[in-house]
């Protein structure tokens, strides 16, 4: 199993290095669009606790999964990203999420949420917030209030961590 994870990690770096210019362009466009959006405008009215803070959330966890035989769908690359994150290989997790986002046409909010959390783990707060805002907006477009609220709680958490580390 360990050898399979290592071989997938190598495959991920090799395969995604070629696809990354399109993802980088998409990320730059997303970042420019979301750069000036405040938490409230990205999240709208969401549930807050009596102290005015966002309700606590459970950070994402990643469990190792079987690697798909074929890596030709966004879901397959999402699994690769989740596996890489589960082993602490955050560089390859980001590469896999980039490929998954590219294959999904940037329309899967869960991918932005997962990639945002990996950016947070790497202390890249601005990129994390950008991705989490994109996830919140996509969840809002899909009228998925529960997932949108969770994404907004994550944004608040990351912003608080960013303020604490400034």
């Amino acid at each position: 199993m360990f050898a399979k994870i290592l071989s997938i990690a190598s495959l991920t770096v090799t395969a995604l290095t070629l696809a990354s210019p399109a993802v980088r362009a998409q990320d730059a466009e997303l970042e420019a669009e979301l750069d000036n959006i405040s938490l409230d405008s990205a999240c709208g009215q969401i549930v807050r606790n009596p102290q005015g803070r966002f309700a606590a959330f459970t950070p994402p966890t990643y469990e190792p999964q079987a690697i798909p035989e074929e890596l030709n769908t966004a879901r397959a690359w999402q699994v690769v990203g989740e596996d890489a994150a589960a082993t602490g290989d955050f560089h390859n997790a980001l590469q896999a999420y980039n490929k998954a986002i590219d294959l999904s046409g940037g329309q899967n909010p869960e991918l932005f949420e997962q990639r945002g959390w990996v950016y947070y783990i790497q202390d890249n707060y601005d990129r994390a917030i950008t991705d989490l805002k994109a996830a919140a907006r996509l969840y809002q477009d899909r009228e998925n209030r529960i997932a949108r609220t969770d994404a907004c709680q994550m944004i608040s958490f990351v912003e608080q961590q960013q303020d604490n580390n400034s």
Side-chain angles (χ1 to χ4, degrees):
M1 170 94 174
F2 184 69
K4 187 171 187 177
I5 290 172
L6 287 178
S7 66
I8 290 298
S10 299
L11 173 65
T12 302
V13 170
T14 303
L16 293 177
T17 301
L18 301 174
S20 61
V23 172
R24 282 194 298 263
Q26 185 180 30
D27 285 350
E29 184 178 309
L30 175 67
E31 204 167 319
E33 179 184 331
L34 296 175
D35 199 31
N36 295 319
I37 296 175
S38 70
L39 177 62
D40 289 335
S41 66
C43 295
Q45 296 295 320
I46 58 175
V47 179
R48 296 177 188 255
N49 66 23
Q51 292 79 29
R53 295 185 181 155
F54 291 97
F57 73 99
T58 304
T61 57
Y62 301 97
E63 299 294 327
Q65 305 173 54
I67 299 295
E69 292 294 321
E70 295 186 27
L71 297 174
N72 55 3
T73 66
R75 177 64 188 135
W77 283 103
Q78 182 178 12
V79 169
V80 172
E82 290 168 354
D83 258 16
T87 63
D89 184 1
F90 301 119
H91 172 77
N92 281 320
L94 289 174
Q95 296 303 316
Y97 289 132
N98 288 341
K99 180 67 175 178
I101 289 168
D102 187 41
L103 288 172
S104 74
Q107 296 303 306
N108 183 336
E110 188 176 319
L111 296 171
F112 285 104
E113 190 173 352
Q114 289 176 321
R115 187 176 73 173
W117 194 253
V118 172
Y119 280 130
Y120 162 72
I121 291 169
Q122 294 186 314
D123 296 329
N124 191 339
Y125 301 118
D126 292 333
R127 295 292 304 264
I129 291 167
T130 298
D131 274 1
L132 293 170
K133 284 180 180 179
R137 182 156 313 237
L138 288 168
Y139 284 132
Q140 180 176 340
D141 292 347
R142 287 168 175 69
E143 298 181 9
N144 186 337
R145 286 187 62 181
I146 294 170
R148 186 174 120 245
T149 299
D150 190 49
C152 291
Q153 290 168 335
M154 292 171 75
I155 294 166
S156 176
F157 177 83
V158 172
E159 286 180 340
Q160 288 173 7
Q161 297 304 307
Q162 186 177 35
D163 290 345
N164 291 342
N165 292 325
S166 295

